[in-house]
């Protein structure tokens, strides 16, 4: 385990750096990688992001200035917000042996890199990257904006329980250098805009929602058929995992997404009563106390039974 | 106009202080008044909030420890978050002549008190109260929690464009003294909870939504029959007017609510292209540039035609 200072010193000595983001990339992995890439370039280094095949339109603009050109050969690779080697996208596997450092904030992190800079208390990898970057180079708007995206998306815009005093302190420092109109536009796009398809998806998920355990546990489903019927893109279904947990009286919201026939991605969002990470660990997954996931084999009804059993076992 | 320092010094010299909140009290006026009341009490002073007849269950707990007993006679009164004398609740009018100070953050503030402490850049009155209180007494959890409610509600939990670096800096200071579980519970209750009825209502409104003018104008409806079918209360349908405006590509969201047979309340939420106030004025209503309304006679289809014609006329 490396400290922030050691990590900054280590990065200073690197060059030709490829930054790797995780499968189903979110604002935190993309924003953190983009900010770190810009900081490394500001230090005069060559640095790129590996294009992530699953990148959605929401976060593509943040990665765009940094995408590695085809054929470029990195000297080393650094992962950002990746908790486990199996969360590397397929096109990152050829670089697995080049990984020299993992920067992460998942307390469930399973070491796969020779060096790890991990803060399990940080709400986002963006917080860790901020602390590293400020030791390396001035935090310019081009660094601050993707970091704001990283931190705001991983905290639901400072509303999730992972938000700490440190989160707000870093947000203050980022806003200090950012244009207010730019931040307003980001907030409107990320937190106050929904596609028609997404609204239809929410509508259908809500009407199919089931409540369990006296209304404290809610399950919503995203069957493949629904996705196909609505022609939903990845962007349309991003973050839908928080929907079930918003229902009054619910402190454990479960979302089951059929990835392909026979494979279901489980997302759990929980309050203090239930540890989402422990629940998901029972099905081979992991994550944080309040937000965790697992990908398992089975039909939707089978997986629903399994996850409800796991929740019941954790309650007991 | 008084500075923060002058205001703190002035309050130090007062005693027997009645704090006044505005009509249709929100989190900012109630939270700010509660925090200031606790700070004055921590200084050994007698201080109370005037009970606000329109206080809702959402904010009542924050005012509860501070409500003035019947018959108590204040020596002076201080207003918090009140931009204009006509926003005083009716039961505050007997104290209008006792007002010695107004603490506010509305740049539209129309002076009615002999002393004004105003910061038009502050996202919430809670920010101004925080700066005053920290000069008077340690910011304890009993002060920090209502201030957090004040600031988070007025910024939509740090998402609205009024959120600044200062807002986040103050939030960081408040979270520093607050219990994480307490803040999580507040955020969950204020920003991440919807009743099942409300979710069903949203779901039905979305499935019935129509798009016009190339997708830039969206219309949702709340027929009486739907309200009755879902047994929806006033609380279940408050703020639903913003739903249509959240749709991607929409810059004019219209909500038609059937108040009783033959009478429809129109709500318009618009971006920069269309002036909602002008649109509603065409049907005898009014409001602000970005949010306006009108109540008209007619069936839902008739009113829908009329408001779409009004929008088209404003576009022309």
């Amino acid at each position: 385990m490396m400290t922030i200072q050691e990590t900054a010193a280590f990065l200073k000595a690197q060059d030709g750096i490829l930054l790797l983001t995780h499968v189903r990339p979110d604002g935190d992995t993309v924003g953190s990688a983009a900010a770190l890439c810009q900081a490394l370039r500001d230090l005069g280094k060559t640095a790129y992001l590996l294009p992530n095949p699953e990148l959605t339109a929401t976060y593509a603009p943040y990665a765009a200035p940094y995408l590695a050109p085809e054929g470029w050969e990195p000297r080393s690779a650094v992962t950002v917000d990746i908790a486990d080697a199996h969360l590397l996208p397929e096109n990152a596997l050829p670089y697995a042996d080049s990984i020299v450092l993992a920067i992460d904030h998942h307390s469930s992190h399973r070491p796969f890199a020779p060096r790890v800079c991990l803060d399990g208390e940080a709400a986002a990898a963006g917080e860790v990257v901020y602390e590293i970057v400020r030791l390396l180079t001035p935090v310019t708007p081009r660094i601050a904006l993707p970091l704001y995206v990283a931190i705001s998306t991983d905290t639901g815009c400072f509303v999730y329980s992972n938000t700490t005093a440190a989160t707000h302190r870093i947000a203050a420092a980022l806003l200090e250098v950012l244009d207010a109109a730019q931040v307003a536009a980001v907030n409107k796009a990320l937190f106050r805009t929904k596609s028609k398809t997404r609204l239809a998806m929410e509508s259908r998920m809500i009407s199919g929602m089931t409540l369990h355990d006296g209304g404290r546990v809610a399950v919503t489903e995203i069957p493949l058929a629904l996705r196909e019927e609505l022609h939903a893109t990845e962007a349309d279904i991003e973050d839908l995992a928080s929907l079930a947990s918003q229902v009054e009286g619910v402190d454990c919201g479960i979302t089951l997404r059929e990835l392909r026939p026979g494979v279901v991605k489980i997302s759990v969002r929980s309050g203090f009563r239930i540890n989402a990470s422990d629940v998901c660990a029972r099905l081979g997954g992991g994550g944080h106390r309040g937000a965790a996931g697992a990908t398992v084999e089975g039909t939707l009804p089978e997986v629903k039974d399994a996850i409800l059993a796991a929740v019941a076992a954790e309650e007991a």
Side-chain angles (χ1 to χ4, degrees), chain A:
Chain A
M1 195 79 85
M2 284 170 99
T3 64
I4 296 288
Q5 287 74 15
E6 288 163 353
T7 307
F10 175 77
L11 284 169
K12 235 179 200 161
Q14 302 293 307
D15 203 355
I17 306 148
L18 181 68
L19 298 167
L20 303 178
T21 54
H22 62 67
V23 289
R24 293 183 295 279
D26 58 13
D28 192 21
T29 196
V30 174
S32 295
L36 184 55
C37 196
Q38 181 63 49
L40 293 169
R41 290 184 180 184
D42 289 349
L43 287 172
K45 298 178 187 303
T46 303
Y48 289 106
L49 264 66
L50 183 69
N52 190 315
E54 293 180 291
L55 191 65
T56 62
T58 308
Y59 303 117
Y62 301 101
Y66 306 109
L67 296 180
E70 205 141 336
W72 178 69
E73 279 302 324
R75 300 237 291 269
S76 60
V78 172
T79 69
V80 184
D81 196 37
I82 298 185
D84 192 306
H86 78 246
L87 296 172
L88 285 167
E90 203 145 320
N91 67 335
L93 297 183
Y95 303 100
D97 288 341
S98 309
I99 296 171
V100 293
L101 168 68
I103 299 172
D104 193 21
H105 75 117
H106 295 89
S107 50
S108 62
H109 185 94
R110 290 193 189 175
F112 55 87
R115 293 167 200 83
V116 185
C117 179
L118 175 73
D119 179 358
E121 300 292 306
E127 288 189 20
V128 187
V129 169
Y130 170 79
E131 298 294 356
I132 296 167
V133 160
R134 65 201 284 257
L135 298 181
L136 293 174
T137 182
V139 178
T140 61
R142 288 216 274 182
I143 292 171
L145 192 67
L147 282 182
Y148 179 80
V149 170
I151 294 169
S152 63
T153 52
D154 248 31
T155 57
C157 208
F158 310 97
V159 77
Y160 299 159
S161 58
N162 59 355
T163 308
T164 66
T167 314
H168 280 291
R169 229 179 358 250
I170 294 170
L174 299 176
L175 261 57
E176 208 74 76
V177 303
L178 287 171
D179 178 46
Q182 209 174 12
V183 176
V186 165
N187 283 346
K188 168 86 176 134
L190 292 178
F191 306 109
R192 300 177 64 207
T193 299
K194 292 179 177 183
S195 70
K196 290 178 279 290
T197 306
R198 180 179 185 113
L199 283 166
M201 184 74 86
E202 288 187 2
S203 166
R204 294 284 288 275
M205 285 169 70
I206 290 161
S207 37
M209 182 176 69
T210 59
L211 293 170
H212 309 267
D213 191 19
R216 296 188 296 182
V217 177
V219 182
T220 58
E221 299 185 1
I222 309 176
L224 265 182
L226 176 60
R227 230 192 118 169
E228 281 159 13
E229 177 196 331
L230 298 175
H231 304 289
T233 64
E234 270 306 306
D236 293 324
I237 56 178
E238 252 166 16
D239 283 333
L240 276 172
S242 63
L243 192 62
S245 64
Q246 278 184 26
V247 180
E248 194 171 20
V250 169
D251 70 353
C252 180
I254 297 165
T255 305
L256 304 179
R257 178 179 155 197
E258 198 178 14
L259 292 179
R260 50 189 184 276
V263 180
V264 175
K265 166 98 176 72
I266 303 168
S267 299
V268 179
R269 299 288 179 271
S270 65
F272 282 86
R273 191 174 59 95
I274 289 170
N275 186 322
S277 184
D278 290 349
V279 167
C280 290
R282 286 178 176 263
L283 298 171
H288 305 283
R289 216 195 133 76
T295 300
V296 301
E297 299 198 350
T299 63
L300 279 171
E302 284 165 2
V303 175
K304 184 172 171 177
D305 286 348
I307 187 69
L308 285 173
V311 169
E314 282 300 319
E315 282 177 311

